[in-house]
Amino acid sequence: MDLKEFFHGLKKTTPFMLGLIPFGLAYGIMATQAKLSLGETLLMSLLVFAGSAQFMAVGMIKEGVGIGFIVLSTLLINLRHLLMGLSLAPFLNKLNTKWLYLLAFGLTDEVYGTTIGHYQQEGSYKGNPYFMLGSEAGIYFFWLISSLAGALLGTLIKDPLSWGLDFAMPATFLSIVIGQIKSWQILIVFLIAGILAIAGYLLIPGKWYIILATVTATILGTILELLTEKRSTAP
């Protein structure tokens, strides 16, 4: 085990770990208020490990939405992981299947932003998996601890959004996304997703604006990525 790279990944992700605390607290509080037990709240964080999807899920559970629609919605909102996986693939394509399964489970927006930046800075297409594993371990631990704390505080804080905890998610995402805008393709996806999300929020009832922006950005990003690769390999 490459402990040096593991702790390097852990250290590089520290700012995101601290920023994750209010996000996890808000999730735990909202899950408790949606009548999830302490065990169910923690089990979702242990097995799902996807903040935005968990927020959406507990909101739908509270509203009495059916399990099938919840699963479909969380699947759609996590389609962005396809793009993240595609961009990381060149750095990790020499790893065996067990490594890929492990790293895929722990892949989050924070981990992706830290890892892809590190691999690109290294200038080598042989990414050290222990760096990414260290990044994932830190995020996973802080997510579980903050989820637990939020669940325990759930009966004491009636409205977590009044504390400004709902700002943690967009603030975290913005800090990740802005640092990744390094090409015109990414800028186009960023702008179109933002415009669609705002327009959908204003015009469409419910949480459909999230799914609309996510699916559109994922499809558009994939198309632009494939076109760019095709042009670069063309004779």
Side-chain angles (χ1 to χ4, degrees):
M1 182 173 180
D2 191 341
L3 289 177
K4 181 180 178 180
E5 279 298 298
F6 179 88
F7 285 110
H8 188 197
L10 192 67
K11 181 180 178 181
K12 290 271 283 189
T13 319
T14 301
F16 290 126
M17 296 179 204
L18 299 177
L20 201 67
I21 295 174
F23 191 14
L25 287 172
Y27 158 71
I29 293 168
M30 293 176 69
T32 301
Q33 294 177 356
K35 307 302 182 184
L36 269 67
S37 67
L38 178 62
E40 290 168 336
T41 301
L42 288 178
L43 190 63
M44 188 183 290
S45 287
L46 279 166
L47 300 181
V48 178
F49 187 42
S52 55
Q54 290 178 230
F55 264 95
M56 175 175 279
V58 296
M60 289 180 168
I61 290 170
K62 189 174 183 179
E63 295 173 6
V65 177
I67 184 66
F69 191 73
I70 293 175
V71 171
L72 176 61
S73 299
T74 53
L75 173 65
L76 290 174
I77 202 173
N78 281 324
L79 282 177
R80 67 188 187 282
H81 286 242
L82 290 174
L83 280 180
M84 293 191 287
L86 281 172
S87 63
L88 283 170
F91 301 99
L92 304 172
N93 58 9
K94 302 297 183 182
L95 299 179
N96 61 43
T97 305
K98 291 181 179 179
W99 258 116
L100 293 176
Y101 283 157
L102 177 62
L103 296 179
F105 169 75
L107 180 61
T108 64
D109 300 283
E110 297 87 354
V111 169
Y112 172 77
T114 303
T115 302
I116 193 69
H118 175 71
Y119 287 166
Q120 290 173 343
Q121 190 176 21
E122 288 288 296
S124 170
Y125 272 92
K126 187 180 179 182
N128 191 315
Y130 285 102
F131 177 91
M132 187 171 177
L133 184 64
S135 177
E136 291 180 346
I139 294 293
Y140 191 60
F141 176 78
F142 270 76
W143 179 246
L144 294 180
I145 294 300
S146 56
S147 296
L148 173 61
L152 294 174
L153 291 171
T155 56
L156 301 176
I157 300 175
K158 299 300 180 184
D159 183 12
L161 303 187
S162 66
W163 289 50
L165 296 181
D166 57 325
F167 184 69
M169 181 163 59
T172 299
F173 284 150
L174 278 174
S175 67
I176 296 169
V177 170
I178 290 175
Q180 294 302 315
I181 301 177
K182 300 176 180 178
S183 68
W184 65 267
Q185 296 97 326
I186 298 175
L187 179 60
I188 288 174
V189 173
F190 175 77
L191 292 175
I192 290 179
I195 292 169
L196 283 175
I198 294 171
Y201 176 77
L202 296 173
L203 301 173
I204 302 174
K207 303 294 184 181
W208 285 100
Y209 67 94
I210 301 176
I211 296 174
L212 173 65
T214 301
V215 173
T216 303
T218 300
I219 294 172
L220 177 61
T222 302
I223 292 172
L224 291 176
E225 184 76 16
L226 292 174
L227 288 174
T228 302
E229 289 183 3
K230 186 176 180 179
R231 288 175 183 173
S232 64
T233 56

